[in-house]
Amino acid sequence: FTPMAMIHHSCSVQFAAYLHCLVKPTNALYVAAVGGTRGRGDKASIMTSQDILKSNPFKKQIFAPQGDGIVKDTFVSVGTAISAWEHCEVSFGTIYAALVKPAGGTHVVLRAYGTILAPSARREMIRGAAEAYFAVFENKPLSKALQNLMSLHEDGATRRNEIVHGYVMSEPLMPGRKPSYFLVPSLFTSKKNKLHHQRSKYRFSTRELDNYCKCFEALSSRAMKFQQDLRAFYSSLPDDLREKFP
């Protein structure tokens, strides 16, 4: 990307989310995974919820080969992905509450948890609570599952940050070529751009953004299921053991 050749389209995340309500009300059916054809819906191009997180889709940065012909589509996908991540954060908050107050009554815990703004700090809160919890109620399968969830959350938060702090721009316009839009890092984000602005380290089209959205949704569902399993495990314990929790 060359700064002078790009067209910057400023659009708020709130507007993108609003467009999502109008244009994409059934996101779960709409999203196609990376490598599929947008909206085609064939089985080969759509990942299932069972395997979409298996290889950690958040681990690597993506430089999309093809952009969007309609800029509104890109903005809609940005807002949808951001909304999906916030659902994910709520689900992880319920894990923290289940670790700290396994018997229930978690409103106060969640209020306190919500005052911590940095996702990295919230992850450390969950890890610290889990260390104390499993020291009393040993359960290696649940402990290992939580470690995996925290790893996915950490990598997913990196991709979320790239989405939130990027902006939508077009490739350099050439004679006879239509605009091709991507979400790219802003020019002052030095760590995300190569020297002399020759190329950004990532760029997303609707295909990548919609796939991240689906991955965020899958991670949120997995975190909520873990919280339910954690509470079910606690409920299965003898009363005298539950009383030992500090």
Side-chain angles (χ1 to χ4, degrees), residues 68-177:
D68 302 316
I70 302 175
V71 68
K72 182 177 70 174
D73 289 346
T74 317
F75 284 126
V76 169
S77 292
V78 169
T80 307
I82 293 172
S83 179
W85 178 259
E86 289 307 309
H87 282 285
C88 194
E89 289 287 4
V90 171
S91 296
F92 275 83
T94 66
I95 292 177
Y96 177 75
L99 290 167
V100 175
K101 291 282 289 183
T106 58
H107 177 68
V108 175
V109 175
L110 285 172
R111 289 285 295 179
Y113 179 83
T115 64
I116 307 300
L117 301 180
S120 59
R122 290 197 293 267
R123 280 195 299 273
E124 290 308 306
M125 290 176 67
I126 294 174
R127 286 175 174 137
E131 183 180 15
Y133 182 96
F134 290 117
V136 178
F137 308 130
E138 184 177 354
N139 188 312
K140 291 183 179 179
L142 281 178
S143 179
K144 185 177 180 179
L146 181 57
Q147 290 174 19
N148 180 256
L149 278 172
M150 300 312 297
S151 178
L152 287 168
H153 184 279
E154 186 169 358
D155 292 332
T158 300
R159 302 287 84 86
R160 173 266 181 194
N161 290 341
E162 291 174 348
I163 297 171
V164 169
H165 299 295
Y167 59 1
V168 177
M169 305 187 85
S170 172
E171 279 189 320
L173 297 179
M174 301 296 181
R177 290 183 59 182

Side-chain angles (χ1 to χ4, degrees), residues 189-221:
T189 311
S190 300
K191 291 183 178 180
K192 301 295 183 179
N193 287 289
K194 296 186 178 181
L195 287 175
H196 310 300
H197 306 295
Q198 294 176 347
R199 170 172 159 162
S200 61
K201 293 185 178 181
Y202 73 86
R203 69 179 186 182
F204 306 140
S205 70
T206 53
R207 181 175 296 173
E208 291 74 35
L209 291 165
D210 288 349
N211 185 63
Y212 279 138
C213 178
K214 190 170 185 178
C215 293
F216 293 159
E217 289 172 346
L219 181 57
S220 177
S221 296

